[in-house]
Every structure is written in structure tokens, then in C-alpha cells.
Amino acid sequence: KAGVTQTPRYLIKTRGQQVTLSCSPISGHRSVSWYQQTPGQGLQFLFEYFSETQRNKGNFPGRFSGRQFSNSRSEMNVSTLELGDSALYLCASSPGDRENTEAFFGQGTRLTVV
Amino acid sequence: AQTVTQSQPEMSVQEAETVTLSCTYDTSENNYYLFWYKQPPSRQMILVIRQEAYKQQNATENRFSVNFQKAAKSFSLKISDSQLGDTAMYFCAFTLIMNRDDKIIFGKGTRLHILP
């Protein structure tokens, strides 16, 4: 069974640009969650999608958005990039049925904003 | 609000020794899951062990075991016979069962070095 795939692995963007990150969950998983990991703040929850619907959202500005497609693949978008958006963005895949809470993570996308 | 606290930013132990990583959490809810995740330099977050709050018996997975003290809201991880491959960041994490989503709350992590 293929794991969680995040693309791209590395990204360098300039302040003010926008970026789109992609996450393909494990086959059969319907929930995709996104986390931002920084040395200072640790892992912070961005949002979670289940069956194309956002079920929860963390405390991030509206510049951070996401969506999920019918095949459960998810994208997150960050507009008007700021230097502080430099981070490792992790995607987690889970069945989403709340009976099995084990989340499987991708290797992340390292975003650097210059 | 739920919080997870890991008081040890960094630890080092010799190979084959036993090490315990501390974690405390805060919640007013009664039903939840607790996790320990490992993040090696490859950045892949891997689930090490999971504990259901309604289970009194401490979870074990080979060399990894937890000491779950629900009243004290404590959830420590013990690694026995530590190996060089155990070198990684370890995150304690928490999710509510009553949640309608799969949001996980993480501690800040403990960087563990296993020394040869």
C-alpha cells in the first residue's frame, strides 16, 4: 500500500507570491489534515478535510486555504507569502471514521520564503 | 483548550540504555487518545505507540512502553535497550474521541540523541 505522498518536497518562493502544496492520502483514507511545523511553534494544526468538506480549521489567517477533491487528494494554498510562512508543511492521512484514529504522515514540503 | 507539554527539549543517552521521555497534557474531557510520534532526520512522522484513555493497561510496542497516569494527566514514553536508530524528535500528541474531526494536538517535542 502506497504511503502518503506530498509534492513538492522543497519549494523556494518570494514574499508576496502564492504557493500550492499537494497531498495524496493512503488509498481508502478520506481524511486529510495539514500541519505547519516550525522550530519555534512546533506542529500546529491548519485544517482537516473529510469527503471534500472542511471539518475543522486551526488559528491561521485567511491566506491559508485548502481543498479536497473527490479522490481524497488535497491541496493547500498560501497566498501573499510572508517570511514567517517558511516552514515544513506536513499532511496526515487517516480513515476519518473516528473508529481508527491512526494518522499517517507524508514526508512534508519544506517551504522557504525569501 | 487542550494542551500538551513536553518539558525536556533535548536528551542524550548511551546505546542500550533505557530512557524515559516525559509528557503532560491538559483537558477537561474524559475520552481521548494519546500518541507518541517519532520524527527522524528524514522528516517522516511515524507513530510509535497509542493509548486509549479508557484503557487502564499501559500500551507496549516491543521496546517502547508508556506510563499512562490519567489522574495526573501524564503520559511518559520509555524506550528500552535504546538503539542508534532511535535518534529522532519525539512528539507527544493527543486527540479527542468526541471530536468530529481528526485534529491532533502536539507537544513541542523532545530531541533524543542515542550515543554509540
Side-chain angles (χ1 to χ4, degrees):
Chain A
K1 207 176 204 183
V4 180
T5 304
Q6 288 189 248
T7 57
R9 291 288 306 280
Y10 301 90
L11 209 47
I12 299 175
K13 290 285 188 179
T14 305
R15 268 183 303 174
Q17 286 188 312
Q18 76 164 16
V19 66
T20 299
L21 311 182
S22 179
C23 173
S24 292
I26 290 171
S27 177
H29 284 190
R30 294 195 291 163
S31 168
V32 174
S33 300
W34 289 90
Y35 296 83
Q36 182 195 65
Q37 185 177 13
T38 59
Q41 299 298 318
L43 279 137
Q44 292 188 289
F45 174 78
L46 281 156
F47 29 64
E48 189 238 8
Y49 286 88
F50 175 80
S51 292
E52 301 180 67
T53 301
Q54 187 182 85
R55 288 203 294 195
N56 200 352
K57 189 178 190 305
N59 190 24
F60 279 82
R63 300 185 296 107
F64 291 81
S65 63
R67 58 177 175 169
Q68 187 180 34
F69 302 95
S70 58
N71 62 357
S72 294
R73 188 177 71 85
S74 176
E75 289 182 347
M76 68 162 280
N77 184 276
V78 188
S79 62
T80 320
L81 283 165
E82 300 177 1
L83 295 180
D85 297 333
S86 294
L88 179 66
Y89 290 87
L90 291 168
C91 158
S93 158
S94 58
D97 56 13
R98 303 303 292 151
E99 295 295 320
N100 183 347
T101 57
E102 182 171 351
F104 295 83
F105 284 81
Q107 287 192 285
T109 294
R110 171 77 66 189
L111 171 65
T112 303
V113 182
V114 297
Chain B
Q2 288 79 32
T3 58
V4 178
T5 303
Q6 293 179 250
S7 59
Q8 304 149 312
E10 197 157 359
M11 297 180 73
S12 296
V13 296
Q14 294 295 137
E15 193 177 6
E17 287 185 349
T18 294
V19 59
T20 299
L21 280 58
S22 302
C23 172
T24 58
Y25 58 94
D26 188 29
T27 182
S28 57
E29 302 296 333
N30 203 39
N31 295 318
Y32 45 87
Y33 294 106
L34 292 160
F35 311 94
W36 278 97
Y37 278 91
K38 168 185 176 180
Q39 188 180 40
S42 67
R43 304 178 340 203
Q44 183 85 51
M45 193 80 78
I46 302 162
L47 179 66
V48 174
I49 200 163
R50 179 176 77 173
Q51 174 81 42
E52 290 87 347
Y54 58 85
K55 289 187 178 178
Q56 290 186 327
Q57 188 171 5
N58 289 327
T60 61
E61 284 289 342
N62 302 313
R63 298 182 296 107
F64 299 88
S65 61
V66 298
N67 183 3
F68 174 46
Q69 302 289 328
K70 191 172 184 179
K73 296 180 182 174
S74 169
F75 184 61
S76 62
L77 174 70
K78 185 171 84 170
I79 306 174
S80 303
D81 185 26
S82 57
Q83 300 174 359
L84 296 179
D86 295 333
T87 292
M89 278 289 283
Y90 286 81
F91 293 94
C92 179
F94 166 101
T95 189
L96 287 176
I97 293 176
M98 64 170 280
N99 273 5
R100 62 186 179 92
D101 57 57
D102 284 0
K103 174 182 176 180
I104 301 173
I105 298 168
F106 289 88
K108 291 285 180 73
T110 295
R111 186 173 301 280
L112 177 64
H113 301 275
I114 307 299
L115 307 173

